[in-house]
mmCIF file of all heavy atoms in Angstrom:
data_model
loop_
_atom_site.group_PDB
_atom_site.id
_atom_site.type_symbol
_atom_site.label_atom_id
_atom_site.label_comp_id
_atom_site.label_asym_id
_atom_site.label_seq_id
_atom_site.Cartn_x
_atom_site.Cartn_y
_atom_site.Cartn_z
ATOM 1 N N VAL A 992 0.381 2.631 -15.768
ATOM 2 C CA VAL A 992 1.420 2.387 -14.745
ATOM 3 C C VAL A 992 0.811 2.515 -13.355
ATOM 4 O O VAL A 992 1.017 1.686 -12.496
ATOM 5 C CB VAL A 992 2.571 3.402 -14.923
ATOM 6 C CG1 VAL A 992 3.558 3.266 -13.740
ATOM 7 C CG2 VAL A 992 3.295 3.144 -16.267
ATOM 8 N N HIS A 993 0.008 3.551 -13.143
ATOM 9 C CA HIS A 993 -0.640 3.756 -11.848
ATOM 10 C C HIS A 993 -1.496 2.551 -11.456
ATOM 11 O O HIS A 993 -1.380 2.023 -10.321
ATOM 12 C CB HIS A 993 -1.545 5.026 -11.945
ATOM 13 C CG HIS A 993 -2.314 5.295 -10.715
ATOM 14 N ND1 HIS A 993 -1.948 6.219 -9.744
ATOM 15 C CD2 HIS A 993 -3.503 4.802 -10.266
ATOM 16 C CE1 HIS A 993 -2.854 6.255 -8.770
ATOM 17 N NE2 HIS A 993 -3.811 5.399 -9.076
ATOM 18 N N GLU A 994 -2.342 2.082 -12.367
ATOM 19 C CA GLU A 994 -3.195 0.942 -12.035
ATOM 20 C C GLU A 994 -2.403 -0.351 -11.858
ATOM 21 O O GLU A 994 -2.753 -1.214 -11.058
ATOM 22 C CB GLU A 994 -4.275 0.769 -13.098
ATOM 23 C CG GLU A 994 -5.193 1.977 -13.320
ATOM 24 C CD GLU A 994 -5.897 2.415 -12.021
ATOM 25 O OE1 GLU A 994 -6.195 1.562 -11.168
ATOM 26 O OE2 GLU A 994 -6.155 3.639 -11.905
ATOM 27 N N SER A 995 -1.298 -0.469 -12.562
ATOM 28 C CA SER A 995 -0.425 -1.656 -12.398
ATOM 29 C C SER A 995 0.172 -1.714 -10.997
ATOM 30 O O SER A 995 0.327 -2.770 -10.414
ATOM 31 C CB SER A 995 0.679 -1.646 -13.462
ATOM 32 O OG SER A 995 0.176 -1.807 -14.749
ATOM 33 N N PHE A 996 0.480 -0.512 -10.444
ATOM 34 C CA PHE A 996 1.007 -0.498 -9.107
ATOM 35 C C PHE A 996 -0.098 -0.759 -8.081
ATOM 36 O O PHE A 996 0.232 -1.269 -6.979
ATOM 37 C CB PHE A 996 1.744 0.829 -8.827
ATOM 38 C CG PHE A 996 3.169 0.810 -9.283
ATOM 39 C CD1 PHE A 996 3.562 1.522 -10.392
ATOM 40 C CD2 PHE A 996 4.112 0.052 -8.601
ATOM 41 C CE1 PHE A 996 4.908 1.510 -10.803
ATOM 42 C CE2 PHE A 996 5.428 0.018 -9.001
ATOM 43 C CZ PHE A 996 5.843 0.746 -10.093
ATOM 44 N N HIS A 997 -1.343 -0.484 -8.383
ATOM 45 C CA HIS A 997 -2.443 -0.949 -7.508
ATOM 46 C C HIS A 997 -2.429 -2.496 -7.463
ATOM 47 O O HIS A 997 -2.560 -3.075 -6.397
ATOM 48 C CB HIS A 997 -3.761 -0.464 -8.016
ATOM 49 C CG HIS A 997 -4.127 0.918 -7.609
ATOM 50 N ND1 HIS A 997 -3.966 1.371 -6.292
ATOM 51 C CD2 HIS A 997 -4.661 1.985 -8.300
ATOM 52 C CE1 HIS A 997 -4.387 2.644 -6.232
ATOM 53 N NE2 HIS A 997 -4.761 3.006 -7.449
ATOM 54 N N ALA A 998 -2.224 -3.095 -8.615
ATOM 55 C CA ALA A 998 -2.160 -4.556 -8.638
ATOM 56 C C ALA A 998 -0.989 -5.047 -7.830
ATOM 57 O O ALA A 998 -1.112 -6.071 -7.091
ATOM 58 C CB ALA A 998 -2.016 -5.059 -10.098
ATOM 59 N N ILE A 999 0.141 -4.389 -7.907
ATOM 60 C CA ILE A 999 1.306 -4.779 -7.105
ATOM 61 C C ILE A 999 1.053 -4.661 -5.627
ATOM 62 O O ILE A 999 1.431 -5.549 -4.847
ATOM 63 C CB ILE A 999 2.522 -3.925 -7.540
ATOM 64 C CG1 ILE A 999 3.016 -4.340 -8.887
ATOM 65 C CG2 ILE A 999 3.632 -4.066 -6.522
ATOM 66 C CD1 ILE A 999 4.115 -3.417 -9.506
ATOM 67 N N SER A 1000 0.355 -3.614 -5.206
ATOM 68 C CA SER A 1000 0.117 -3.393 -3.768
ATOM 69 C C SER A 1000 -0.760 -4.514 -3.217
ATOM 70 O O SER A 1000 -0.647 -4.871 -2.045
ATOM 71 C CB SER A 1000 -0.526 -2.036 -3.549
ATOM 72 O OG SER A 1000 -1.909 -2.016 -4.006
ATOM 73 N N TYR A 1001 -1.680 -5.048 -4.040
ATOM 74 C CA TYR A 1001 -2.497 -6.153 -3.592
ATOM 75 C C TYR A 1001 -1.688 -7.463 -3.531
ATOM 76 O O TYR A 1001 -1.953 -8.327 -2.666
ATOM 77 C CB TYR A 1001 -3.684 -6.382 -4.567
ATOM 78 C CG TYR A 1001 -4.878 -5.495 -4.320
ATOM 79 C CD1 TYR A 1001 -4.877 -4.140 -4.649
ATOM 80 C CD2 TYR A 1001 -6.030 -5.992 -3.723
ATOM 81 C CE1 TYR A 1001 -5.953 -3.356 -4.420
ATOM 82 C CE2 TYR A 1001 -7.128 -5.201 -3.504
ATOM 83 C CZ TYR A 1001 -7.093 -3.898 -3.867
ATOM 84 O OH TYR A 1001 -8.203 -3.053 -3.643
ATOM 85 N N GLU A 1002 -0.790 -7.619 -4.435
ATOM 86 C CA GLU A 1002 -0.074 -8.871 -4.587
ATOM 87 C C GLU A 1002 1.204 -9.007 -3.756
ATOM 88 O O GLU A 1002 1.562 -10.082 -3.280
ATOM 89 C CB GLU A 1002 0.260 -9.128 -6.080
ATOM 90 C CG GLU A 1002 0.834 -10.513 -6.356
ATOM 91 C CD GLU A 1002 0.702 -10.838 -7.852
ATOM 92 O OE1 GLU A 1002 -0.332 -10.598 -8.444
ATOM 93 O OE2 GLU A 1002 1.686 -11.326 -8.364
ATOM 94 N N MET A 1003 1.903 -7.907 -3.605
ATOM 95 C CA MET A 1003 3.201 -7.939 -2.928
ATOM 96 C C MET A 1003 3.049 -7.258 -1.538
ATOM 97 O O MET A 1003 3.340 -6.101 -1.324
ATOM 98 C CB MET A 1003 4.259 -7.203 -3.742
ATOM 99 C CG MET A 1003 4.470 -7.834 -5.089
ATOM 100 S SD MET A 1003 5.702 -7.004 -6.127
ATOM 101 C CE MET A 1003 5.606 -7.911 -7.653
ATOM 102 N N SER A 1004 2.510 -8.042 -0.562
ATOM 103 C CA SER A 1004 2.147 -7.506 0.728
ATOM 104 C C SER A 1004 3.327 -6.977 1.497
ATOM 105 O O SER A 1004 3.166 -6.044 2.311
ATOM 106 C CB SER A 1004 1.374 -8.557 1.550
ATOM 107 O OG SER A 1004 2.197 -9.730 1.685
ATOM 108 N N VAL A 1005 4.488 -7.558 1.354
ATOM 109 C CA VAL A 1005 5.665 -7.104 2.076
ATOM 110 C C VAL A 1005 5.980 -5.647 1.712
ATOM 111 O O VAL A 1005 6.260 -4.816 2.609
ATOM 112 C CB VAL A 1005 6.868 -8.018 1.790
ATOM 113 C CG1 VAL A 1005 8.158 -7.408 2.427
ATOM 114 C CG2 VAL A 1005 6.642 -9.410 2.322
ATOM 115 N N ILE A 1006 5.958 -5.341 0.440
ATOM 116 C CA ILE A 1006 6.220 -3.955 -0.017
ATOM 117 C C ILE A 1006 5.127 -3.025 0.492
ATOM 118 O O ILE A 1006 5.395 -1.900 0.941
ATOM 119 C CB ILE A 1006 6.330 -3.880 -1.533
ATOM 120 C CG1 ILE A 1006 7.515 -4.759 -2.009
ATOM 121 C CG2 ILE A 1006 6.528 -2.470 -2.009
ATOM 122 C CD1 ILE A 1006 7.648 -4.892 -3.489
ATOM 123 N N TRP A 1007 3.912 -3.471 0.406
ATOM 124 C CA TRP A 1007 2.759 -2.656 0.852
ATOM 125 C C TRP A 1007 2.889 -2.307 2.356
ATOM 126 O O TRP A 1007 2.743 -1.165 2.761
ATOM 127 C CB TRP A 1007 1.462 -3.391 0.573
ATOM 128 C CG TRP A 1007 0.248 -2.732 1.158
ATOM 129 C CD1 TRP A 1007 -0.526 -3.209 2.211
ATOM 130 C CD2 TRP A 1007 -0.383 -1.501 0.814
ATOM 131 N NE1 TRP A 1007 -1.560 -2.381 2.533
ATOM 132 C CE2 TRP A 1007 -1.478 -1.309 1.671
ATOM 133 C CE3 TRP A 1007 -0.075 -0.541 -0.144
ATOM 134 C CZ2 TRP A 1007 -2.299 -0.175 1.601
ATOM 135 C CZ3 TRP A 1007 -0.910 0.606 -0.224
ATOM 136 C CH2 TRP A 1007 -2.006 0.763 0.632
ATOM 137 N N ASP A 1008 3.223 -3.353 3.175
ATOM 138 C CA ASP A 1008 3.341 -3.121 4.592
ATOM 139 C C ASP A 1008 4.491 -2.178 4.920
ATOM 140 O O ASP A 1008 4.419 -1.322 5.830
ATOM 141 C CB ASP A 1008 3.519 -4.457 5.322
ATOM 142 C CG ASP A 1008 2.292 -5.338 5.298
ATOM 143 O OD1 ASP A 1008 1.197 -4.768 5.074
ATOM 144 O OD2 ASP A 1008 2.406 -6.531 5.497
ATOM 145 N N GLU A 1009 5.614 -2.341 4.198
ATOM 146 C CA GLU A 1009 6.747 -1.441 4.399
ATOM 147 C C GLU A 1009 6.390 -0.016 4.033
ATOM 148 O O GLU A 1009 6.803 0.919 4.721
ATOM 149 C CB GLU A 1009 7.942 -1.935 3.567
ATOM 150 C CG GLU A 1009 9.215 -1.208 3.870
ATOM 151 C CD GLU A 1009 10.397 -1.707 3.091
ATOM 152 O OE1 GLU A 1009 10.369 -2.882 2.623
ATOM 153 O OE2 GLU A 1009 11.417 -0.986 2.972
ATOM 154 N N PHE A 1010 5.635 0.124 2.944
ATOM 155 C CA PHE A 1010 5.204 1.467 2.569
ATOM 156 C C PHE A 1010 4.292 2.105 3.636
ATOM 157 O O PHE A 1010 4.522 3.261 3.979
ATOM 158 C CB PHE A 1010 4.390 1.386 1.237
ATOM 159 C CG PHE A 1010 3.583 2.602 0.954
ATOM 160 C CD1 PHE A 1010 4.188 3.764 0.469
ATOM 161 C CD2 PHE A 1010 2.224 2.638 1.173
ATOM 162 C CE1 PHE A 1010 3.438 4.895 0.187
ATOM 163 C CE2 PHE A 1010 1.482 3.751 0.908
ATOM 164 C CZ PHE A 1010 2.087 4.912 0.403
ATOM 165 N N LEU A 1011 3.368 1.337 4.208
ATOM 166 C CA LEU A 1011 2.507 1.876 5.247
ATOM 167 C C LEU A 1011 3.314 2.311 6.458
ATOM 168 O O LEU A 1011 3.086 3.383 7.039
ATOM 169 C CB LEU A 1011 1.457 0.851 5.683
ATOM 170 C CG LEU A 1011 0.360 0.518 4.699
ATOM 171 C CD1 LEU A 1011 -0.588 -0.518 5.255
ATOM 172 C CD2 LEU A 1011 -0.464 1.770 4.341
ATOM 173 N N ASP A 1012 4.269 1.491 6.883
ATOM 174 C CA ASP A 1012 5.115 1.841 8.033
ATOM 175 C C ASP A 1012 5.904 3.129 7.772
ATOM 176 O O ASP A 1012 6.069 3.972 8.676
ATOM 177 C CB ASP A 1012 6.075 0.698 8.344
ATOM 178 C CG ASP A 1012 5.365 -0.487 8.921
ATOM 179 O OD1 ASP A 1012 4.244 -0.337 9.409
ATOM 180 O OD2 ASP A 1012 5.944 -1.605 8.878
ATOM 181 N N LEU A 1013 6.430 3.258 6.560
ATOM 182 C CA LEU A 1013 7.264 4.380 6.230
ATOM 183 C C LEU A 1013 6.473 5.662 5.993
ATOM 184 O O LEU A 1013 6.897 6.764 6.406
ATOM 185 C CB LEU A 1013 8.101 4.066 4.994
ATOM 186 C CG LEU A 1013 9.137 5.117 4.541
ATOM 187 C CD1 LEU A 1013 10.196 5.308 5.632
ATOM 188 C CD2 LEU A 1013 9.795 4.667 3.225
ATOM 189 N N SER A 1014 5.312 5.522 5.355
ATOM 190 C CA SER A 1014 4.539 6.714 4.975
ATOM 191 C C SER A 1014 3.800 7.360 6.178
ATOM 192 O O SER A 1014 3.608 8.570 6.195
ATOM 193 C CB SER A 1014 3.540 6.342 3.884
ATOM 194 O OG SER A 1014 2.507 5.465 4.404
ATOM 195 N N GLY A 1015 3.327 6.534 7.104
ATOM 196 C CA GLY A 1015 2.626 7.091 8.227
ATOM 197 C C GLY A 1015 1.082 6.990 8.119
ATOM 198 O O GLY A 1015 0.360 7.525 8.972
ATOM 199 N N TRP A 1016 0.580 6.315 7.083
ATOM 200 C CA TRP A 1016 -0.853 6.132 6.954
ATOM 201 C C TRP A 1016 -1.330 5.009 7.913
ATOM 202 O O TRP A 1016 -0.658 4.020 8.079
ATOM 203 C CB TRP A 1016 -1.238 5.721 5.534
ATOM 204 C CG TRP A 1016 -1.257 6.809 4.531
ATOM 205 C CD1 TRP A 1016 -0.348 7.110 3.589
ATOM 206 C CD2 TRP A 1016 -2.315 7.830 4.360
ATOM 207 N NE1 TRP A 1016 -0.709 8.191 2.821
ATOM 208 C CE2 TRP A 1016 -1.913 8.644 3.299
ATOM 209 C CE3 TRP A 1016 -3.472 8.064 5.044
ATOM 210 C CZ2 TRP A 1016 -2.684 9.707 2.896
ATOM 211 C CZ3 TRP A 1016 -4.268 9.138 4.637
ATOM 212 C CH2 TRP A 1016 -3.871 9.961 3.573
ATOM 213 N N LYS A 1017 -2.518 5.231 8.511
ATOM 214 C CA LYS A 1017 -3.139 4.240 9.365
ATOM 215 C C LYS A 1017 -4.623 4.206 9.163
ATOM 216 O O LYS A 1017 -5.258 5.261 8.928
ATOM 217 C CB LYS A 1017 -2.829 4.510 10.833
ATOM 218 C CG LYS A 1017 -1.350 4.336 11.210
ATOM 219 C CD LYS A 1017 -1.135 4.573 12.712
ATOM 220 C CE LYS A 1017 0.280 4.394 13.087
ATOM 221 N NZ LYS A 1017 0.497 4.686 14.547
ATOM 222 N N GLU A 1018 -5.221 3.033 9.208
ATOM 223 C CA GLU A 1018 -6.676 2.855 9.124
ATOM 224 C C GLU A 1018 -7.200 2.678 10.559
ATOM 225 O O GLU A 1018 -6.715 1.791 11.308
ATOM 226 C CB GLU A 1018 -7.042 1.677 8.297
ATOM 227 C CG GLU A 1018 -6.729 1.875 6.808
ATOM 228 C CD GLU A 1018 -7.205 0.695 5.946
ATOM 229 O OE1 GLU A 1018 -7.414 -0.382 6.517
ATOM 230 O OE2 GLU A 1018 -7.307 0.876 4.771
ATOM 231 N N GLU A 1019 -8.155 3.508 10.949
ATOM 232 C CA GLU A 1019 -8.719 3.441 12.271
ATOM 233 C C GLU A 1019 -10.243 3.451 12.183
ATOM 234 O O GLU A 1019 -10.865 4.493 12.197
ATOM 235 C CB GLU A 1019 -8.216 4.627 13.117
ATOM 236 C CG GLU A 1019 -6.711 4.688 13.209
ATOM 237 C CD GLU A 1019 -6.180 6.022 13.749
ATOM 238 O OE1 GLU A 1019 -6.946 7.023 13.683
ATOM 239 O OE2 GLU A 1019 -5.044 6.055 14.199
ATOM 240 N N GLY A 1020 -10.826 2.232 12.063
ATOM 241 C CA GLY A 1020 -12.250 2.147 11.886
ATOM 242 C C GLY A 1020 -12.700 2.763 10.566
ATOM 243 O O GLY A 1020 -12.238 2.384 9.481
ATOM 244 N N ASP A 1021 -13.548 3.775 10.644
ATOM 245 C CA ASP A 1021 -14.055 4.468 9.405
ATOM 246 C C ASP A 1021 -13.253 5.728 9.180
ATOM 247 O O ASP A 1021 -13.674 6.572 8.414
ATOM 248 C CB ASP A 1021 -15.542 4.810 9.539
ATOM 249 C CG ASP A 1021 -15.864 5.717 10.728
ATOM 250 O OD1 ASP A 1021 -14.907 6.012 11.516
ATOM 251 O OD2 ASP A 1021 -17.018 6.140 10.841
#
């Protein structure tokens, strides 16, 4: 199930982006 949701995060970008906005994670260089 965990790895299947990794596949979903790659494929369903709208859900992934909404998750990032809601969770508070940000990538800043390294």
